[in-house]
Amino acid sequence: MGGHGEGVSLEFTPTWVVAGVCTIIVAISLAVERLLHHFGTVLKKKKQKPLFEALQKVKEELMLLGFISLFLTVTQGLISKICVREEVLMHMLPCSKQEAELSKHKNVTTTTTEHFQSLIPIVGTTRRLLAEHAAAEAGYCSLKDKTPLLSLEALHHLHIFIFVLAISHVTFCALTVVFGSTRIYQWKKWEDALADESFDPEAALVKKSVTHVHQHAFIKEHFLGIGKDSVFLGWTQSFFKQFYGSVTKADYVTLRLGFIKTHCKGNPKLNFHKYMMRALEDDFKHVVGISWYLWIFVVIFLLLNVNGWHTYFWIAFIPFILLLAVGTKLEHVISQLAHEVAEKHVAIEGELVVKPSDEHFWFSKPEFVLFLIHFILFQNAFEIAFFFWIWVTYGFDSCIMGQVRYIVPRLVIGVFIQVLCSYSTLPLYAIVSQMGSNYKKAIFEENVQVGLVGWAQKVKNKRASNGNEGSSNAGTTPSPPGAGAGFAGIQLSRLTRNNAGETTQNEITPAHVNNH
């Protein structure tokens, strides 16, 4: 009787049960939705627009998961009724059927699986229900002397895996940014110390002290001489330096000064730390989402997860190697900035100033580093999500989990990646990514950004109308809103040539600002 009760349809289920279950599901869903809405309201009140946009990105991911869930639910009956010959399903299996049968006879996986089913009763119940439906679908295909292409149980497990993957990625990205921001916040004392130095800006320009380049702390830490040996030693030092003292006070002070001298000479007391934090928050919204190319990676992994290939083990080294490469490159950018000064000068008048440039980055694109960090975080979240999904669904001793000698290194690598990325690589990226040729829009306060966008659009429209008339005063444009306050000290102009060939001072264009 109890067995038949588990498979009863909705038309024979008491209405109070249906209403009660619906009430619980709707209540939980609304509670989560209102919690996210309240969190977004708090962020908007605190004017945390980048974090608010990141929250919107999380909502988009949840919406995508909801659509995937709905699609799988609606089509699972149709998919499970796709019948193929049994020999078609005998290739590229995650587990060997012979080994699975042997394990079943030895009762290897029973203990672990039953343990999790006792902790989460719904897992065991769901598997029994799915087994009943699977038997029915198998009967449908057996009448045709064929096998279902994908069983209902397999679809359910795939459904759960996609959900766990997305939640793990968002969680690990958030943890990385939180821990990384905590590390970056420790640099605030250096910014405060620089801000507390009272000096007259005009007197500072007049003062001409001599700096012995090779005695400067920044140069002594990064300059290893000239020649082929120095190149090898430089890369080696950059590799190891990411594990200890990735950013020192000398690094912070020198890179800060280089940024200010390049992009805002008129404002030597720019709060570089505050700008850097805003830029990092702005980048976070690009990292928290799961882009289409990351889903392609998931599909490729599921395709290559064949028994005996140990794909789950070898794939763990991809984010590990990439993370070490990114950390080494970021450290090497700092070394290159030091070498540029040390190779050209023995002593200089005034302070030691480095010159930011996109040429120091891969493909001359600082934003490419952010792309790699995005991939690394997703790959690491994928590894950990896959491990726990297999553990809960099939048990620790399942053949798809792999042998212990492959499991332990994967977990160690996953923890190492999370710690290193949080406390070294992300802080390094936060400061070194500012050493490009362009500054980011986060250099402006949010209200100034809005005014700048509107002003730039008006200028663009006016140029278009004046260009059609060919008037001689086409280069004359209105001043940006808030130019006296919000734009103080920022280098907003560049020299261009008008149609008459005369050099004129022109206003900022989108090419000056890196939108990332």
Side-chain angles (χ1 to χ4, degrees), residues 179-214:
F179 292 141
S181 299
T182 303
R183 173 67 173 166
I184 297 172
Y185 186 78
Q186 297 175 2
W187 304 344
K188 192 174 185 298
K189 60 179 181 290
W190 300 334
E191 184 71 37
D192 294 340
L194 293 170
D196 291 340
E197 293 178 357
S198 58
F199 63 90
D200 183 5
E202 294 182 3
L205 293 174
V206 175
K207 183 180 178 181
K208 295 184 180 293
S209 60
V210 176
T211 300
H212 296 282
V213 173
H214 294 274

Side-chain angles (χ1 to χ4, degrees), residues 383-402:
E383 276 290 312
I384 296 177
F386 186 77
F387 170 79
F388 283 104
W389 172 68
I390 293 297
W391 191 6
V392 173
T393 305
Y394 300 105
F396 188 82
D397 298 317
S398 170
C399 61
I400 199 173
M401 175 69 79

Side-chain angles (χ1 to χ4, degrees), residues 103-409:
S103 299
K104 190 179 297 184
H105 288 301
K106 292 182 178 181
N107 295 321
V108 174
T109 62
T110 304
T111 304
T112 308
T113 304
E114 289 181 350
H115 173 67
F116 276 107
Q117 290 182 7
S118 65
L119 293 177
I120 312 175
I122 192 172
V123 175
T125 304
T126 303
R127 294 192 70 173
R128 286 193 297 272
L129 292 175
L130 289 172
E132 293 178 6
H133 288 290
E137 300 304 336
Y140 171 82
C141 288
S142 62
L143 294 176
K144 301 180 179 181
D145 198 23
K146 292 183 179 180
T147 305
L149 179 65
L150 194 64
S151 68
L152 285 175
E153 184 175 3
L155 277 171
H156 173 71
H157 291 167
L158 184 61
H159 188 176
I160 297 299
F161 170 66
I162 292 174
F163 178 80
V164 171
L165 172 60
I167 297 300
S168 299
H169 175 63
V170 172
T171 302
F172 280 107
C173 284
L175 289 176
T176 301
V177 172
V178 168
F179 292 141
S181 299
T182 303
R183 173 67 173 166
I184 297 172
Y185 186 78
Q186 297 175 2
W187 304 344
K188 192 174 185 298
K189 60 179 181 290
W190 300 334
E191 184 71 37
D192 294 340
L194 293 170
D196 291 340
E197 293 178 357
S198 58
F199 63 90
D200 183 5
E202 294 182 3
L205 293 174
V206 175
K207 183 180 178 181
K208 295 184 180 293
S209 60
V210 176
T211 300
H212 296 282
V213 173
H214 294 274
Q215 298 303 316
H216 195 280
F218 177 72
I219 301 298
K220 290 170 69 176
E221 288 179 3
H222 297 282
F223 183 65
L224 300 176
I226 303 174
K228 294 182 179 180
D229 292 339
S230 67
V231 174
F232 174 76
L233 291 175
W235 280 103
T236 304
Q237 183 192 49
S238 298
F239 174 79
F240 287 105
K241 195 173 185 297
Q242 65 180 310
F243 302 114
Y244 67 93
S246 56
V247 176
T248 63
K249 182 178 181 179
D251 295 338
Y252 182 85
V253 173
T254 305
L255 298 182
R256 172 187 180 275
L257 182 62
F259 178 87
I260 291 175
K261 290 293 185 181
T262 302
H263 298 301
C264 43
K265 292 182 180 179
N267 187 14
K269 285 195 172 183
L270 170 74
N271 193 327
F272 180 70
H273 186 272
K274 186 177 180 180
Y275 155 69
M276 189 172 56
M277 290 299 296
R278 284 203 305 265
L280 182 62
E281 291 172 355
D282 202 33
D283 288 336
F284 175 62
K285 66 185 179 185
H286 299 288
V287 173
V288 73
I290 302 181
S291 304
W292 60 269
Y293 50 83
L294 297 179
W295 286 111
I296 291 178
F297 169 81
V298 172
V299 173
I300 292 175
F301 171 79
L302 294 176
L303 175 66
L304 300 179
N305 187 30
V306 180
N307 179 56
W309 291 11
H310 305 297
T311 307
Y312 48 80
F313 174 73
W314 299 113
I315 208 169
F317 287 93
I318 295 179
F320 177 71
I321 295 172
L322 283 179
L323 183 65
L324 295 181
V326 168
T328 303
K329 180 59 179 179
L330 292 174
E331 285 286 356
H332 193 254
V333 169
I334 301 178
S335 297
Q336 285 179 296
L337 294 171
H339 273 254
E340 279 188 348
V341 179
E343 291 177 0
K344 296 177 181 178
H345 306 282
V346 176
I348 55 176
E349 214 171 31
E351 298 176 286
L352 188 144
V353 179
V354 296
K355 184 173 179 57
S357 173
D358 288 346
E359 297 300 321
H360 299 309
F361 295 88
W362 283 314
F363 311 113
S364 298
K365 292 182 178 296
E367 59 271 18
F368 182 69
V369 178
L370 182 64
F371 166 80
L372 291 179
I373 291 177
H374 187 190
F375 180 78
I376 290 167
L377 290 176
F378 174 80
Q379 171 66 35
N380 195 49
F382 174 83
E383 276 290 312
I384 296 177
F386 186 77
F387 170 79
F388 283 104
W389 172 68
I390 293 297
W391 191 6
V392 173
T393 305
Y394 300 105
F396 188 82
D397 298 317
S398 170
C399 61
I400 199 173
M401 175 69 79
Q403 300 176 9
V404 176
R405 67 174 181 268
Y406 293 114
I407 298 173
V408 175

Side-chain angles (χ1 to χ4, degrees), residues 441-461:
K441 66 179 181 181
I443 198 170
F444 305 113
E445 297 289 348
E446 182 180 344
N447 59 331
V448 180
Q449 289 184 32
V450 175
L452 177 61
V453 171
W455 164 72
Q457 187 62 40
K458 290 179 181 178
V459 172
K460 183 178 180 181
N461 295 337

